[in-house]
Amino acid sequence: MKSYTTYTIVEEHQGLTVEVYLKQVLNYSGRKIQKLTRQKGIVLNKKTVFLQKKVKTGDILRVLTLDDLSYGVEPEPGPIELLYEDGYLIVLNKPSGLLVHPAGQTSRGTLSNYLAHYYQQQGAIYTVRPIHRLDRETSGCVVFAKDSNTQTLLDDFLKEGSLKRTYQAVVNGIVDPPVGTINAPIGPHPTKPNRRAVNQRGDEAITHYKTLQSFSGASLLELTLATGRTHQIRVHLSYLEHPIIGDRMYGKGSALISGQALHAFSLHFPHPVEQREIAVKAPFPTDFLRVLEHYSG
């Protein structure tokens, strides 16, 4: 059975041709549009349409979802914790110590390999498409798109800020002021190539934080990102002189936790196709809770 993604034309796009709408609004490549045309996969108001047809406010455009031919990674049995799933996307709770996707010399043993195996067990082929990444030692919510259309829309949500990510972290010391914004550019570390640092010639980086609880010698923070630089939260909190507990790269390790006490706690975003909001929360891992118990006790 063929699957379609449905779009309702809004007033600001009235007068665009179908081809321009597909390219400029939905970010379809010319090659993909050609493939859709060959398969009669572009339907306007229930009729197959020519690319030069102009759209009007309220028109209903349906676009064929092209089948994936591979997972993009090697399926591998492994545990996954499912937080949300529908026909367009899936959200997983990544454990600390696991890469989101193969990188460098690592081609197996990642969350993406395990997700590909999950798809395989369901009898489905979806290319594994992570919309964002978490550091290896950071736990929590990661969203994956099941098709290229959904990936494009979620990528746009991420860029424009409507895909909202909230983190929680336990940091050293009492943060003063308890609520604030860290606005400090981040670039390459001057001497350590695998690290990042606050660097006035770096890229703009903005992190908002709020203290949820203060303990003896530590604080539980809620953090949101206005930008998405590599290691941003970790670099900014170290720059603030409140490094995350257990962060060996930007602070120091802790016997209480195997990685750093940083957790991607929640995601909130509009569904890319259906007219509703999605809100997902990831439960804290055991060692994160152990850090909280240690400092609150």
Side-chain angles (χ1 to χ4, degrees):
M1 182 178 176
K2 291 185 177 181
S3 173
Y4 288 81
T5 304
T6 301
Y7 305 93
T8 302
I9 307 302
V10 297
E11 186 175 356
E12 68 177 293
H13 298 138
Q14 177 163 298
L16 297 179
T17 66
V18 169
E19 183 174 23
V20 170
Y21 183 87
L22 290 170
K23 285 183 175 180
Q24 294 187 2
V25 180
L26 301 182
N27 294 321
Y28 279 64
S29 66
R31 184 177 179 182
K32 187 170 183 180
I33 292 171
Q34 288 178 350
K35 190 172 183 180
L36 287 165
T37 302
R38 287 197 299 270
Q39 297 188 32
K40 297 183 178 179
I42 305 169
V43 179
L44 185 68
N45 300 327
K46 300 184 180 179
K47 294 180 181 179
T48 304
V49 67
F50 294 109
L51 292 177
Q52 299 312 309
K53 173 75 173 178
K54 292 185 177 180
V55 298
K56 303 188 300 294
T57 303
D59 280 351
I60 304 298
L61 181 70
R62 300 177 71 233
V63 182
L64 179 67
T65 301
L66 298 173
D67 292 336
D68 288 332
L69 301 177
S70 75
Y71 297 106
V73 297
E74 186 69 27
E76 182 181 357
I80 63 170
E81 184 178 347
L82 184 66
L83 299 175
Y84 175 86
E85 182 179 15
D86 63 28
Y88 301 96
L89 59 98
I90 187 168
V91 183
L92 302 180
N93 185 11
K94 186 187 88 67
S96 175
L98 200 65
L99 285 174
V100 170
H101 197 270
Q105 300 299 311
T106 303
S107 61
R108 297 177 64 84
T110 75
L111 189 63
S112 291
N113 296 107
Y114 300 161
L115 178 57
H117 182 261
Y118 170 79
Y119 289 154
Q120 191 177 61
Q121 294 299 104
Q122 305 299 311
I125 299 179
Y126 299 118
T127 299
V128 176
R129 299 176 174 90
I131 302 304
H132 56 104
R133 303 287 201 272
L134 295 178
D135 296 340
R136 183 194 291 268
E137 304 302 337
T138 301
S139 56
C141 297
V142 183
V143 60
F144 297 80
K146 289 187 174 180
D147 61 77
S148 58
N149 302 348
T150 302
Q151 179 182 25
T152 296
L153 294 168
L154 288 173
D155 282 343
D156 288 344
F157 291 169
L158 188 62
K159 290 172 189 172
E160 70 190 26
S162 56
L163 196 162
K164 301 182 187 303
R165 297 174 288 167
T166 302
Y167 295 77
Q168 291 194 15
V170 186
V171 304
N172 281 290
I174 307 302
V175 182
D176 185 29
V179 177
T181 296
I182 309 166
N183 187 344
I186 291 176
H189 192 283
T191 60
K192 298 173 181 176
N194 64 330
R195 298 190 187 188
R196 311 289 286 174
V198 169
N199 181 335
Q200 294 308 310
R201 290 177 294 179
D203 296 318
E204 181 184 42
I206 300 171
T207 304
H208 306 292
Y209 71 87
K210 177 173 67 175
T211 302
L212 298 179
Q213 283 183 275
S214 294
F215 311 112
S216 176
S219 302
L220 173 65
L221 302 184
E222 178 181 277
L223 304 119
T224 56
L225 300 173
T227 55
R229 308 304 172 203
T230 301
H231 298 175
Q232 179 173 317
I233 290 175
R234 299 165 63 192
V235 172
H236 270 173
L237 290 173
S238 180
Y239 172 73
L240 205 63
E241 298 185 348
H242 294 286
I244 298 169
I245 289 169
D247 189 345
R248 292 173 173 81
M249 185 172 285
Y250 297 105
K252 63 180 182 179
S254 169
L256 297 169
I257 189 167
S258 57
Q260 63 248 0
L262 177 61
H263 182 65
F265 178 66
S266 68
L267 287 173
H268 188 276
F269 55 96
H271 193 283
V273 178
E274 301 170 359
Q275 301 300 309
R276 59 190 176 91
E277 295 288 316
I278 294 177
V280 182
K281 291 183 179 179
F284 291 115
T286 303
D287 53 2
F288 191 102
L289 292 173
R290 185 164 59 241
V291 172
L292 284 176
E293 290 169 3
H294 174 81
Y295 285 98
S296 62

